[in-house]
Amino acid sequence: MARGSREFIIRGVTYLAGEVGIRQFLDVGTGLPTASNTHEVAQRVAPDSRIVYVDNDPLVLTHARALLTSTPEGATDYIDADLRDPDAILREAAPTLDLNKPVALMLMGILGHVKSDDEVRSIIGRLMDALPSGSYLAQSDGTNTSPEMVAAQDQYNEGAPLPYCVRSPERIASFYEGLEMIPPGVVRVTDWRPEIGPHEIKHAECFGGVGRKP
Ligand SMILES: C[S@@+](CC[C@H](N)C(=O)[O-])C[C@H]1O[C@@H](n2cnc3c(N)ncnc32)[C@H](O)[C@@H]1O
């Protein structure tokens, strides 16, 4: 799942920076720095890309320096903030991102941490409302698409300080209401535009997609 969803991030960011021409990314729920972080992928395609990372985990904050290695033409910043406080995210992102120009909002593997569908819709709505037409939402999350995945997640959640809710693909797709889905829509991440590459992982219990604000 980790590798399949990372490959989806790489293909999604490559698509947005390349084919679409997006130059600004707001990556909420960044996670620990790893291989092919959002700014590395985007700036490989377009060195002038500007990326703001957001997470509320102190451990991610400790390692954030590894995310602040921008090209000279572009910019990266890290904000220690909570997804549930979109106003703070937008306020603190504003010095780095021009919120009058299209932004790709990335919510990768984070919405499962918000149990209520209504709250997810409200958070996405508040963030997307603040972004102009031509902005994008790119998202992925673990799904309840196999009994093994559901059992593993239940077991994890018993002792987890931060439980994660695996949803059905249909529930995830409903979060894109009001956005134009980019083909192939909300699908298993391993089936999303494999031709862009990389595409080593062929199956993961994780669905995602990319939608455009009209
Ligand atoms: C499963 S990881 C995903 C990391 C990365 N986006 C990826 O897809 O590889 C989820 C991340 O979301 C962060 N997170 C969870 N709830 C959050 C919240 N309410 N506000 C900000 N970050 C949150 C966690 O700290 C964690 O780093």
Side-chain angles (χ1 to χ4, degrees), residues 87-185:
D87 294 341
I89 292 175
L90 292 163
R91 189 176 57 245
E92 293 186 42
T96 308
L97 303 181
D98 179 349
L99 299 181
N100 296 310
K101 292 190 180 149
V103 173
L105 170 65
M106 296 176 56
L107 300 174
M108 300 291 185
I110 186 173
L111 296 178
H113 290 300
V114 182
K115 205 171 170 190
S116 149
D117 287 13
D118 285 345
E119 191 178 6
V120 167
R121 265 187 275 278
S122 155
I123 290 168
I124 292 177
R126 283 159 70 195
L127 288 168
M128 291 306 290
D129 280 353
L131 305 177
S133 159
S135 291
Y136 284 77
L137 168 66
Q139 161 281 336
S140 73
D141 270 288
T143 47
N144 62 2
T145 38
S146 83
E148 293 83 1
M149 177 71 182
V150 173
Q153 200 61 57
D154 284 347
Q155 197 178 342
Y156 171 87
N157 285 345
E158 277 171 26
L162 193 60
Y164 186 91
C165 144
V166 284
R167 295 184 161 92
S168 66
E170 293 74 24
R171 276 172 76 189
I172 290 176
S174 76
F175 298 149
Y176 286 87
E177 204 183 288
L179 302 178
E180 295 165 352
M181 283 318 295
I182 302 303

Side-chain angles (χ1 to χ4, degrees), residues 2 5-6 9 27-32 34 54-57 60 81-84 107-110 113-114 140 162 164:
S5 57
R6 178 58 45 173
I9 293 175
D27 183 351
V28 188
T30 308
L32 288 168
T34 178
V54 182
D55 208 291
N56 68 347
D57 182 341
V60 178
D82 196 302
L83 173 69
R84 292 185 167 85
L107 300 174
M108 300 291 185
I110 186 173
H113 290 300
V114 182
S140 73
L162 193 60
Y164 186 91

